[in-house]
Amino acid sequence: MYELVQAVFNGDEKTALHQLISALSTSGKRYFLRNEILQAFADYCHQSQKPAYFYYSSSIGKLIQYTHEIILEEENTWFVVRPKIANQEVWKLTGDFNSFEQMTPQTLLDVRDRLVNRYQPHILEIDLHPFYESSPRIDDPRNIGQGLAFLNRYLCNQLLTDPQYWVEMLFQALQGLKHDKTLLLLSDRIPSGIHLAKQIKLALKLLNERSPDEPYEKFRFDLQELGFEPGWGNTAARVSQTLQLLDRLIYSPEPGILETFVARVPAVFRVVLISVHGWVGQEDVLGRDETLGQVIYVLEQARSLENELREQIKLAGLDVLGIKPHVIILTRLIPNCEGTFCNLRLEKVEDTENAWILRVPFGEFNPEITNNWISKFEIWPYLEQFALDAEKELLAQFQGKPNLLIGNYSDGNLVAFLLSRRMKVTQCNIAHSLEKPKYLFSNLYWQDLEDKYHFSVQFTADLISMNAAEFIITSSYQEIVGTPDTIGQYESYKCFTMPQMYHVVDGIDLFSPKFNLVPPGVNEKIFFPYSQKENRDSNLRTQIHDLLFTREDPQIFGHLDRPNKRPIFAVTSITSIKNIAGLAECFGQSQALQERCNLILFSSKLRPDETASPEEAEEIQKIHEIIQQYHLNGKIRWIGMRLPSCNLGEAYRVVADSQGIYVHFALFESFGRSILEAMISGLPTFATQFGGSLEIIENQEDGFNVNPTDLEGTAKKILGFVDRCDTHPEHWQEVSEWMSQRIHNRYNWHLHSNQLLQLAKMFTFWNFVAPENNEARDRYMEALFHLIYKPRAEKILEKHMGR
């Protein structure tokens, strides 16, 4: 970057830079983000009649392309430059244009504080860098999110470097495995790693004399004589394969062998999925609007994990000992549950044998608050006591400790941290969506937003849990480090200010192997291709077709003058971020789209008076106004009701029957569950280019990623696709099949659960053989919890007690 800055500063382009800064200063603004900077530079190039190459290829053009922020002060101009993914630099240009120098992150945080008139000279600095300094790190940004593969390679290199030490550590890790009082894998007849290597040879010789299909029970006692306890496999062939993997690992370690061996180690039997605030129920409940996606995710994950664990236990030969998987979804019990089962302490998860929803009530405090559902923004004062109460309930329910804690969302991750510290259990974090990057400048103006959102508590909770977790799973690469043009969700926690509270100088190591890309799946019993006619209920199909196209109902707005036109379909909650109003306006502004297509919107509400949320009410009213403004009556149907999942699955398929299109038009989407559902149903899907959906669709030449702020451009993309389908009728079918197969092959729950359990085993093993600096790190997190989080959470509680 230095060379590029010098090229601009020492050459003819210095004048252009001066003129661009002068043009920005005339706007009256002081803080500019990337899109505004690019637009200002484009305007400057046009007004100055610069040649076409100047915008992209000149030194200043390249510098501007890398620049994500410009801050104007009276004396200096500050550039936040991102020359590559996960790498940010701060440069200061003096007012006299005599100096352009690189600065520290601390100076940038001071500048941002001054910008909002909240600078103070002495402020707490949070710096997590020392805790990652001696840890193994991924070198190539392209490999961020592939922590498991990195650790496999790293550990194999360690085995080769010091084989005697690592074989002994491997032995100790295996020797310590047990389920309750049942010893697994190794007994004390094998006292060391060297002895283990010898005994493996004897065991393999014994197994070679057996039929490959011979059940473990028939030779169990012969293996125990050699020091091998249950857990190696359910047949002679399986046990032999597992021991051969270990033998090869000892003498010629390779990443693939290590990964395959660790996958077979029976180390996880009891799993807790923590989803605290969600209104967690099953069919016809499935959360409130703000938690709907998370609740569906957790229920499907619980089913999949139980299935995967059951299969692994069977293959390990442990089912004959009566060992069963046990999965618990931990959430809060809500006394005033509005006719649902959310006041039931224990509820079995449907389609499982031993997965349960365990609900633990919040401590009473003010029952007017705690007996009711509490928004995710208000839940913070109750989480510490909830964790203490939940610990007792979990120990009683499991009759022992769990092997893995999986937090969901910011509050669930904080509870996972508290439980992990007390129970000494491996902690996994899943954010789904982090609020900080979702709300622009939310950290900078946190004091103005505190009464409504309590971001000071939430962002502190995020810092604590993401650094304390043994591993973090994300749905997409972008979730971690974004794209060359956008900042990742986790990357936004790297360096930021909470003016007059603290500065985060280094909040997370994005190159840590703790980050792992493990996207969720989709329930293929409910969401499957429209072409699978044999799996569809003809009566349900007729009902849903009627609902979407013709039925009159108080919860349905609008009729279709020409119902045979190609439908554009959207299913979403009503928030400004989800931008359903933007889609309606895009449709309204394009007469060509209206001529060729109908728009069918599906949301949970239809009228402003149906919601207590001012944001929802405003968005609903906005859609009604757009319909009136663009005279969309006869061209739009808006259905405001909640459907059971099986009906929603059929809705996607009914739209596909008419060769329709699905559009996900969010301003930002961390992943997008409905995108998976639509694609696997066979609907060609257009989705926002901002967020993880970019990776789901893997933008083809047809261009199915859209910019939700470019209404005209989006309409042109959709019309281009419609034209191709009209010209070549097979085109719709080809895209439909490609999208459906992509979801089936890459986004399925079996893959998700398999990878998740593999990560749990590997990171548990890693923490055993190379515990690093974790205790010091976790003590630091406890200090943040007690000194920053708790006092601020108690302020929320004071307000709740006064209601």
Side-chain angles (χ1 to χ4, degrees):
M1 205 68 234
Y2 176 81
E3 291 79 8
L4 184 59
V5 168
Q6 290 303 309
V8 173
F9 200 64
N10 296 328
D12 296 337
E13 294 176 17
K14 183 176 179 180
T15 302
L17 180 63
H18 196 183
Q19 291 171 343
L20 175 63
I21 298 301
S22 298
L24 289 173
S25 62
T26 60
S27 69
K29 293 182 62 176
R30 295 170 61 197
Y31 205 141
F32 300 87
L33 298 180
R34 188 169 188 273
N35 285 344
E36 298 170 302
I37 296 165
L38 290 173
Q39 186 59 56
F41 185 57
D43 292 343
Y44 164 77
C45 291
H46 176 72
Q47 290 163 8
S48 304
Q49 297 182 329
K50 297 291 184 184
Y53 79 87
F54 193 82
Y55 180 81
Y56 292 104
S57 304
S58 64
S59 294
I60 187 175
K62 292 176 183 176
L63 176 64
I64 293 301
Q65 294 295 327
Y66 290 134
T67 300
H68 280 250
E69 298 176 28
I70 290 178
I71 301 173
L72 303 180
E73 288 195 302
E74 287 185 14
E75 297 180 358
N76 305 305
T77 301
W78 297 80
F79 290 72
V80 180
V81 181
R82 192 167 175 258
K84 56 186 177 181
I85 279 177
N87 183 279
Q88 180 177 287
E89 297 176 5
V90 181
W91 290 81
K92 181 180 77 172
L93 175 64
T94 55
D96 56 13
F97 273 69
N98 285 331
S99 172
F100 204 163
E101 59 181 321
Q102 190 171 357
M103 307 297 288
T104 65
Q106 287 92 330
T107 57
L108 173 66
L109 299 178
D110 286 340
V111 169
R112 288 172 174 161
D113 287 355
R114 289 197 294 268
L115 183 72
V116 294
N117 298 316
R118 283 171 175 156
Y119 169 74
Q120 63 183 53
H122 303 291
I123 190 168
L124 172 66
E125 287 190 348
I126 297 173
D127 186 356
L128 279 301
H129 176 70
F131 299 110
Y132 294 101
E133 200 167 17
S134 59
S135 302
R137 297 178 81 242
I138 291 167
D139 295 324
D140 190 336
R142 291 172 296 183
N143 294 330
I144 288 173
Q146 299 176 35
L148 177 63
F150 172 83
L151 275 187
N152 282 331
R153 291 192 300 272
Y154 181 84
L155 286 170
C156 285
N157 288 336
Q158 297 300 308
L159 277 163
L160 288 167
T161 304
D162 189 354
Q164 191 170 348
Y165 169 78
W166 281 92
V167 167
E168 194 60 33
M169 293 305 293
L170 180 60
F171 159 72
Q172 289 181 26
L174 296 177
Q175 190 188 46
L177 286 175
K178 60 174 64 176
H179 179 70
D180 295 334
K181 296 180 180 179
T182 304
L183 269 181
L184 303 177
L185 298 186
L186 301 178
S187 72
D188 55 11
R189 293 189 180 197
I190 300 178
S192 68
I194 294 172
H195 192 71
L196 170 63
K198 293 177 182 177
Q199 293 301 93
I200 289 172
K201 304 293 187 188
L202 296 175
L204 288 172
K205 184 179 178 183
L206 181 152
L207 290 163
N208 284 338
E209 298 169 357
R210 305 275 174 167
S211 166
D213 297 330
E214 187 171 339
Y216 168 73
E217 279 298 290
K218 291 197 173 181
F219 54 86
R220 171 182 175 182
F221 296 111
D222 295 326
L223 281 180
Q224 286 179 318
E225 286 291 321
L226 296 174
F228 295 98
E229 293 295 328
W232 296 97
N234 60 340
T235 64
R238 180 82 180 181
V239 174
S240 180
Q241 290 165 7
T242 308
L243 287 170
Q244 284 175 32
L245 285 167
L246 181 55
D247 188 54
R248 291 174 65 190
L249 193 57
I250 290 171
Y251 291 105
S252 55
E254 296 174 13
I257 296 171
L258 177 61
E259 183 171 345
T260 307
F261 175 72
V262 170
R264 292 186 175 213
V265 173
V268 180
F269 305 96
R270 297 165 175 155
V271 180
V272 183
L273 311 178
I274 305 168
S275 178
V276 183
H277 77 279
W279 198 262
V280 178
Q282 300 189 67
E283 197 65 67
D284 297 328
V285 182
L286 292 179
R288 294 291 181 98
D289 278 355
E290 71 177 42
T291 63
L292 175 62
Q294 182 189 148
V295 172
I296 292 173
Y297 181 107
V298 170
L299 283 167
E300 292 185 358
Q301 188 184 54
R303 292 187 186 101
S304 179
L305 278 171
E306 196 227 21
N307 281 335
E308 192 66 30
L309 285 168
R310 191 173 302 285
E311 182 64 18
Q312 290 187 9
I313 288 168
K314 180 181 176 182
L315 288 172
L318 296 176
D319 56 331
V320 295
L321 302 183
I323 293 176
K324 297 179 180 179
H326 196 167
V327 177
I328 287 178
I329 298 172
L330 174 65
T331 188
R332 64 170 294 232
L333 185 146
I334 306 173
N336 298 336
C337 64
E338 300 177 19
T340 71
F341 289 137
C342 292
N343 64 345
L344 195 65
R345 177 184 173 273
L346 202 61
E347 180 184 356
K348 191 175 181 183
V349 177
E350 294 167 3
D351 300 323
T352 68
E353 292 182 37
N354 201 21
W356 302 82
I357 302 170
L358 174 65
R359 300 184 180 93
V360 176
F362 280 171
E364 265 208 357
F365 301 104
N366 178 357
E368 291 295 317
I369 302 290
T370 54
N371 283 353
N372 298 292
W373 179 77
I374 301 173
S375 161
K376 63 185 178 182
F377 297 116
E378 300 285 335
I379 202 170
W380 306 105
Y382 310 104
L383 297 182
E384 184 179 16
Q385 187 60 50
F386 175 81
L388 294 171
D389 295 339
E391 180 186 8
K392 298 172 191 171
E393 295 274 4
L394 288 169
L395 291 172
Q397 204 64 32
F398 282 133
Q399 295 294 295
K401 289 201 308 183
N403 307 112
L404 176 64
L405 297 164
I406 304 174
N408 286 272
Y409 196 72
S410 299
D411 47 13
N413 287 329
L414 187 74
V415 170
F417 159 72
L418 295 170
L419 286 170
S420 175
R421 285 295 288 158
R422 291 181 59 84
M423 302 174 85
K424 307 302 179 189
V425 174
T426 300
Q427 175 193 348
C428 165
N429 275 23
I430 306 174
H432 299 291
S433 176
L434 292 161
E435 300 294 326
K436 182 175 172 294
K438 194 187 294 184
Y439 293 84
L440 194 61
F441 298 130
S442 52
N443 60 290
L444 198 57
Y445 294 100
W446 71 268
Q447 284 138 307
D448 302 327
L449 302 167
E450 190 69 356
D451 285 346
K452 183 175 181 181
Y453 294 115
H454 306 296
F455 285 143
S456 68
V457 190
Q458 180 160 4
F459 298 167
T460 305
D462 287 335
L463 279 174
I464 292 168
S465 61
M466 70 175 61
N467 283 287
E470 272 77 20
F471 65 100
I472 298 169
I473 68 172
T474 69
S475 299
S476 66
Y477 178 85
Q478 279 93 344
E479 192 176 329
I480 310 169
V481 287
T483 68
D485 300 328
T486 60
I487 302 291
Q489 291 190 61
Y490 282 96
E491 188 179 2
S492 74
Y493 284 80
K494 180 75 174 169
C495 179
F496 68 97
T497 173
M498 301 288 282
Q500 298 178 331
M501 185 164 68
Y502 57 66
H503 281 175
V504 176
V505 176
D506 195 335
I508 187 71
D509 184 1
L510 301 167
F511 291 85
S512 168
K514 75 165 55 185
F515 284 106
N516 283 271
L517 176 55
V518 186
V522 62
N523 188 336
E524 294 188 44
K525 291 181 180 178
I526 294 172
F527 303 100
F528 55 85
Y530 77 102
S531 55
Q532 293 180 9
K533 309 290 186 186
E534 68 280 5
N535 295 329
R536 296 175 66 179
D537 181 327
S538 59
N539 290 331
L540 179 61
R541 180 180 178 180
T542 301
Q543 291 172 23
I544 297 300
H545 186 279
D546 181 43
L547 173 73
L548 293 178
F549 293 98
T550 57
R551 184 192 307 175
E552 293 185 8
D553 188 284
Q555 289 306 113
I556 300 175
F557 176 92
H559 70 280
L560 301 177
D561 292 339
R562 293 161 56 195
N564 292 329
K565 285 192 294 186
R566 192 184 301 271
I568 296 173
F569 190 44
V571 179
T572 185
S573 55
I574 301 178
T575 65
S576 56
I577 294 289
K578 294 300 184 184
N579 196 34
I580 191 172
L583 177 58
E585 187 155 19
C586 173
F587 184 73
Q589 286 183 7
S590 173
Q591 286 297 324
L593 263 187
Q594 294 172 43
E595 282 297 316
R596 312 277 289 280
C597 303
N598 290 315
L599 179 61
I600 302 175
L601 305 177
F602 216 112
S603 65
S604 60
K605 300 178 182 71
L606 194 62
R607 299 176 187 84
D609 59 10
E610 293 171 6
T611 177
S613 163
E615 182 188 8
E616 272 191 333
E618 184 179 337
E619 203 67 11
I620 292 169
Q621 185 59 39
K622 188 175 177 182
I623 298 167
H624 282 290
E625 289 170 0
I626 288 168
I627 292 170
Q628 293 302 314
Q629 178 184 350
Y630 294 102
H631 309 291
L632 297 180
N633 288 309
K635 305 169 186 176
I636 189 170
R637 291 264 288 176
W638 180 8
I639 300 155
M641 59 179 71
R642 289 275 280 272
L643 286 184
S645 295
C646 58
N647 290 19
L648 182 58
E650 188 60 25
Y652 290 116
R653 291 188 288 273
V654 165
V655 174
D657 289 334
S658 299
Q659 295 210 334
I661 296 164
Y662 187 77
V663 181
H664 188 91
F665 211 52
L667 296 175
F668 175 83
E669 181 56 73
S670 58
F671 189 65
R673 178 181 52 83
S674 69
I675 298 171
L676 300 185
E677 294 170 354
M679 286 176 68
I680 201 165
S681 302
L683 274 176
T685 298
F686 292 81
T688 177
Q689 68 186 44
F690 301 122
S693 51
L694 202 65
E695 289 173 42
I696 299 175
I697 292 180
E698 210 180 39
N699 205 10
Q700 300 297 292
E701 60 184 30
D702 286 325
F704 289 96
N705 292 117
V706 295
N707 182 346
T709 63
D710 180 5
L711 304 187
E712 183 180 353
T714 297
K716 284 181 178 178
K717 273 194 175 183
I718 295 173
L719 283 166
F721 175 71
V722 171
D723 284 339
R724 283 187 289 278
C725 292
D726 289 347
T727 306
H728 305 286
E730 70 279 3
H731 183 67
W732 186 96
Q733 187 66 41
E734 289 167 358
V735 172
S736 168
E737 289 177 6
W738 179 87
M739 288 196 169
S740 185
Q741 280 302 309
R742 175 161 175 78
I743 303 306
H744 175 75
N745 293 333
R746 178 160 177 174
Y747 298 95
N748 66 72
W749 281 112
H750 169 69
L751 275 177
H752 173 96
S753 297
N754 192 282
Q755 288 178 282
L756 177 53
L757 293 173
Q758 177 88 355
L759 285 163
K761 294 173 185 179
M762 180 56 77
F763 277 92
T764 301
F765 174 62
W766 170 250
N767 284 336
F768 180 83
V769 299
E772 297 185 85
N773 204 6
N774 290 352
E775 185 59 29
R777 175 203 68 189
D778 290 348
R779 288 292 185 189
Y780 192 99
M781 294 305 109
E782 284 186 341
L784 294 182
F785 177 80
H786 288 286
L787 300 179
I788 299 176
Y789 174 90
K790 277 189 72 172
R792 302 211 65 84
E794 285 165 2
K795 289 187 176 181
I796 304 172
L797 183 60
E798 287 174 15
K799 291 183 179 178
H800 287 188
M801 295 299 287
R803 289 184 185 174

